[in-house]
Amino acid sequence: MTILRDRRLSGHKALAVLLDPDKIEQDALSQLLIRTASCPVDFFLVGGSLVTDYAHKEVIAAIRRQSTIPITLFPGNLLHIEPSADAILLLSLISGRNPDFLIGQHVIAAPLLKRSGLEIMSTGYMVVDSGTQTTVSYISGTMPLPYDKPDVAACTAMAGEMLGLQLMYLDAGSGARRPVSSDMIAAVRRVVDLPIIVGGGINSGEKAYEALKAGADMIVVGNGIEQNPDLLPQLSTVIREFNQSVVQA
C-alpha cells in the first residue's frame, strides 16, 4: 500500500496483471513472465472470485523463479490466504450489502492474516455493472453499482474512506463487456484522496489511457492479455508515457 500511496502522491501510474490460478497454465505463465522483461508491470495480483483448484502457492513459486515483481493476493474468500505472497488486498465489498463480504469473512480470516506476515491492504471493493453478470456478483449475492450512476460510486467511496479503508478498487469484473466509465472514475477521484485501482474490460491502450486520465492510479488487466498478445506492450507504453509526462512536468 505504501508503494501505491507514494505513486499517488507523485502522480505516477501503475500496471498490475491479475493471474487466476484456475486459468493460467505453467507454460503460459512462463511466457508471460519473459514478456514482462521488455513490457514491465508493477504488480502481480493472484486470485479470483471462484477458485476450484487451489494452486496459489505453485503460481507464486513460479513467479518467484523468474521475477522480482511484487505479488499481492486478490482473495475471493478466506481460503485464498497464501503467506508466500508479499501482500493481500483485504477486500470489503462496499458496493454490496452482504455482511459476509463486508466483515464476516474478515473476522474468520483475521487470526490467519495476523500470523501470515503479509502486508494487509484494506481495500474498498466496488463491483460495477459491466453489461453482464460477473462471478463476483453471483458468488457474493450482491448487485453491482449501476454503470451510469457515478454519484452512487462517489458516495460509496467517500463512506469507505471515512471508515478507514486505504484503497479503492473499481472492478467491472472478468470478461466485462465494458470497462468502468471515465465519469465514474473521475467522480470517485474528486471525493477521495486514496489510491484508486480500476480493472475489468480494459482491453486496449485507449481504454487504459481513459481510465488513467480520469484518475485511476493503477489499472488491472487479466483475461485481456491472454486473448490479445499485443495488449501488454500497449498498456506498458501507456503507463510509461504517463509517467514520463509527470517527470517532464
Side-chain angles (χ1 to χ4, degrees), residues 28-222:
L29 176 57
S30 181
Q31 290 300 313
L32 172 62
L33 293 171
I34 291 171
R35 289 162 59 200
T36 60
S38 56
C39 304
V41 302
D42 299 287
F43 300 93
F44 283 116
L45 302 185
V46 176
S49 301
L50 179 65
V51 177
T52 58
D53 183 13
Y54 188 82
H56 289 63
K57 189 172 184 178
E58 290 80 2
V59 169
I60 292 169
I63 296 172
R64 297 284 194 216
R65 286 193 293 270
Q66 289 185 246
S67 174
T68 60
I69 296 170
I71 303 168
T72 298
L73 298 175
F74 179 69
N77 60 56
L78 63 90
L79 298 175
H80 301 166
I81 298 172
E82 173 48 58
S84 60
D86 298 302
I88 184 170
L89 295 180
L90 187 58
L91 304 174
S92 186
L93 186 58
I94 58 176
S95 60
R97 298 296 181 268
N98 184 338
D100 200 36
F101 291 90
L102 281 167
I103 185 63
Q105 293 272 331
H106 311 67
V107 172
I108 298 170
L112 299 175
L113 289 171
K114 190 77 171 179
R115 296 193 298 267
S116 70
L118 294 165
E119 179 185 0
I120 310 299
M121 304 165 74
S122 59
T123 304
Y125 188 50
M126 293 186 282
V127 180
V128 180
D129 178 37
S130 64
T132 186
Q133 186 177 44
T134 61
T135 303
V136 65
S137 64
Y138 180 81
I139 293 294
S140 66
T142 63
M143 293 180 62
L145 294 170
Y147 177 83
D148 58 350
K149 301 293 183 184
D151 54 333
V152 176
C155 291
T156 302
M158 273 195 289
E161 184 177 39
M162 292 173 183
L163 285 168
L165 297 172
Q166 300 169 316
L167 305 171
M168 287 295 146
Y169 192 145
L170 296 167
D171 193 5
S174 177
R177 293 179 183 171
R178 58 192 178 194
V180 179
S181 72
S182 296
D183 287 345
M184 183 173 287
I185 298 169
V188 173
R189 176 77 286 155
R190 285 193 292 269
V191 299
V192 301
D193 292 325
L194 307 175
I196 297 174
I197 304 169
V198 177
I202 300 176
N203 55 16
S204 70
E206 181 181 2
K207 290 178 181 177
Y209 176 83
E210 291 301 323
L212 296 169
K213 183 180 177 182
D217 297 291
M218 182 169 82
I219 55 173
V220 179
V221 62

